[in-house]
Amino acid sequence: MTRLKGNPLPAEAPTQSIALFNRALKVIPGGVNSPVRAFGAVGGTPRFISRGAGAYLYDADGRRYLDLVGSWGPLILGHAHPEVVRAVVEVSQLGTTFGAPSWSEVELAERVTASYPGLEQVRFVSSGTEAVMSAIRLARAYTGRDLVVKFAGCYHGHADHLLVSAGSGLATFGKPSSAGVPAAFVECTRVLPLDDEEALEALFAHEGARIAALIIEPAPANHGLLLQRPEFLKKLRAITRQHGALLIFDEVISGFRVARGGMAELTGITPDLATFGKIIGGGMPVGAFGGARRIMSRLAPEGDTYQAGTLSGNPVAMSAGIAALDVLVKQNAWAHLEALGAALERMLQPVLAKSPFPVRFVRLGSMFWLALNDGPAPRAAITLTELESERFASIFHAMLARGVYLPPSAYEVCFLSLAHTTADLEQLVAALGESIELTARRVK
Ligand SMILES: *Cc1c(COP(=O)(O)O)cnc(C)c1O
């Protein structure tokens, strides 16, 4: 078993993390403030992180990990990028919140609207959940309709009316996917399968006049990476337009990740509304939604659609976002990140070809998914078998022991950042080769 440099103790128990987790379990439900952090799908004790630097995380025991989670998407520059840190420190000294408008909101709004097709105005909130929730309220106000259509396998935050999974049948009434969501709240949500024009047409033929908005992650990245056919996305644009419904691209992950103009730029499809989060906050809590002025002007105080936030447009978060976007543009980051992703794809090929069980590398630019399902890369939501999930858990822990931090779920995607180097990719490839071998022997 090779050990990575700077990771001298891979086999020992994470004593400090265990101690912290035990304390956390007493005062925080499940010991975490967001469920997937708890290692529930892979077992074991979550690592408590004390610091991040570039492409690396350091846990409470001082162990170093090559980070492929990037805080679930925001850290496209890596941890503690000097420009972002400088902005946060400088701006905080001038006060952290005013409850009144300030220059940084204007600066970030100008950058976001200048980057994204069709975006004339944008409003900032504090999370992706809030952005989507507000965009949907706005779509309903603008169209005067009530129904919202989403796709199984897409995640849009945890607002009640979006915590819906497909019921039985094809174009279906959804059912709540969480306790605490009344059936009445999801009566206005419809759930469709991805990659299925027929189901889409059937729903619009039946209820098109009631549909306010159709929302999709144009590059679905919350249930694996379910890359869509361009024709399917074009069909969404056409059918929503035809029925007077709004098309919402949820670009909370893909915005400023896959291109400066997100998936709208990559596909040439301009949605009516788009939502953002993650990257645009530079690692601070930010969300945003935007679109054409004629739609956005329905928002209070101009219009009749209420939406507000005590910390919305927070100057520290805005400044971190500005710093991050400026670095991305200045370094022409997207070309570099695509090259990095392509290099990893090439380097992994021989390793994956040798794997005794299916491991597919699904990639879009700097985000990728290790798909452990049998058969081709899925375009619609799949459920992994128990065996496949066990294989992932084994790979996850083998990688962790080798100093590589994958997302602790088989359905989560990995993120590369500007801080990742070719040497990091080499470490990743070597560790994955060993982890696959070990897993083939361990999990049968
Ligand atoms: C992360 C995410 C959200 C929710 O954002 P939060 O900031 O976690 O509330 C919404 N949509 C997509 C596509 C996401 O990836």
Side-chain angles (χ1 to χ4, degrees), residues 127-129 132 155-157 217 222 250 252-253 278:
S127 70
T129 294
V132 171
Y155 177 68
H156 303 293
E217 289 178 75
N222 276 291
D250 183 349
V252 171
I253 282 188
K278 301 192 170 122

Side-chain angles (χ1 to χ4, degrees), residues 40-218:
V42 292
T45 307
R47 298 303 186 267
F48 279 63
I49 304 303
S50 4
R51 72 185 180 96
Y56 294 94
L57 285 171
Y58 296 81
D59 72 8
D61 290 281
R63 236 167 269 164
R64 189 182 90 159
Y65 304 94
L66 178 65
D67 183 18
L68 293 167
V69 178
S71 192
W72 305 92
L75 298 182
I76 195 166
L77 308 183
H79 293 271
H81 190 282
E83 296 286 324
V84 176
V85 173
R86 191 163 58 97
V88 167
V89 170
E90 276 178 11
V91 167
S92 322
Q93 284 164 344
L94 303 174
T96 54
T97 176
F98 308 125
S102 72
W103 69 272
S104 58
E105 297 162 75
V106 186
E107 289 277 328
L108 188 56
E110 284 171 353
R111 281 164 176 75
V112 174
T113 53
S115 301
Y116 196 87
L119 210 71
E120 291 175 326
Q121 293 195 319
V122 71
R123 178 160 282 176
F124 293 111
V125 292
S126 297
S127 70
T129 294
E130 225 187 311
V132 171
M133 193 181 83
S134 307
I136 283 177
R137 181 179 308 140
L138 177 60
R140 284 176 163 151
Y142 183 78
T143 58
R145 301 172 177 185
D146 55 357
L147 295 188
V148 168
V149 183
K150 65 160 289 208
F151 292 94
C154 287
Y155 177 68
H156 303 293
H158 61 91
D160 282 324
H161 52 271
L162 292 169
L163 283 183
V164 187
S165 53
S168 49
L170 206 55
T172 61
F173 297 96
K175 56 180 198 304
S177 64
S178 163
V181 178
F185 278 37
V186 302
E187 257 168 30
C188 289
T189 308
R190 299 289 180 271
V191 185
L192 288 174
L194 284 163
D195 191 43
D196 186 340
E197 278 91 341
E198 264 175 49
L200 178 74
E201 277 166 2
L203 177 66
F204 272 85
H206 183 54
E207 296 190 293
R210 276 185 67 194
I211 296 172
L214 179 147
I215 185 166
I216 187 169
E217 289 178 75

Side-chain angles (χ1 to χ4, degrees), residues 95-394:
T96 54
T97 176
F98 308 125
S102 72
W103 69 272
S104 58
E105 297 162 75
V106 186
E107 289 277 328
L108 188 56
E110 284 171 353
R111 281 164 176 75
V112 174
T113 53
S115 301
Y116 196 87
L119 210 71
E120 291 175 326
Q121 293 195 319
V122 71
R123 178 160 282 176
F124 293 111
V125 292
S126 297
S127 70
T129 294
E130 225 187 311
V132 171
M133 193 181 83
S134 307
I136 283 177
R137 181 179 308 140
L138 177 60
R140 284 176 163 151
Y142 183 78
T143 58
R145 301 172 177 185
D146 55 357
L147 295 188
V148 168
V149 183
K150 65 160 289 208
F151 292 94
C154 287
Y155 177 68
H156 303 293
H158 61 91
D160 282 324
H161 52 271
L162 292 169
L163 283 183
V164 187
S165 53
S168 49
L170 206 55
T172 61
F173 297 96
K175 56 180 198 304
S177 64
S178 163
V181 178
F185 278 37
V186 302
E187 257 168 30
C188 289
T189 308
R190 299 289 180 271
V191 185
L192 288 174
L194 284 163
D195 191 43
D196 186 340
E197 278 91 341
E198 264 175 49
L200 178 74
E201 277 166 2
L203 177 66
F204 272 85
H206 183 54
E207 296 190 293
R210 276 185 67 194
I211 296 172
L214 179 147
I215 185 166
I216 187 169
E217 289 178 75
N222 276 291
H223 193 95
L225 185 56
L226 307 173
L227 298 178
Q228 299 301 295
R229 289 174 291 117
E231 313 84 75
F232 181 67
L233 296 174
K234 284 197 187 107
K235 178 79 190 178
L236 302 181
R237 179 63 284 182
I239 204 164
T240 44
R241 196 165 271 153
Q242 182 193 337
H243 289 265
L246 299 190
L247 176 63
I248 306 177
F249 273 5
D250 183 349
E251 301 243 28
V252 171
I253 282 188
S254 49
F256 294 93
R257 164 64 64 180
V258 299
R260 182 172 175 183
M263 283 299 286
E265 179 185 323
L266 285 195
T267 60
I269 298 168
T270 304
D272 299 298
L273 290 171
T275 56
F276 303 89
K278 301 192 170 122
I279 286 175
I280 62 159
M284 299 293 285
V286 179
F289 62 104
R293 188 171 293 105
R294 68 171 196 287
I295 303 174
M296 293 300 285
S297 63
R298 285 297 293 266
L299 282 175
E302 270 191 281
D304 55 359
T305 310
Y306 191 67
Q307 191 281 328
T310 301
L311 293 177
S312 291
N314 175 267
V316 184
M318 295 291 105
S319 302
I322 292 165
L325 298 195
D326 286 354
V327 171
L328 290 172
V329 171
K330 204 161 53 194
Q331 300 194 2
N332 188 19
W334 298 283
H336 175 77
L337 288 164
E338 165 58 31
L340 201 67
L344 178 59
E345 187 162 355
R346 270 195 310 277
M347 290 158 68
L348 268 178
Q349 235 150 41
V351 170
L352 301 186
K354 259 198 346 225
S355 173
F357 55 85
V359 186
R360 197 161 293 94
F361 184 77
V362 185
R363 180 180 72 88
L364 181 62
S366 57
M367 58 183 181
F368 66 88
W369 179 43
L370 297 172
L372 298 191
N373 66 298
D374 210 357
R379 282 198 291 257
I382 55 155
T383 306
L384 295 171
T385 65
E386 212 168 297
L387 177 65
E388 288 157 356
S389 303
E390 261 180 65
R391 281 183 189 139
F392 181 80
S394 163

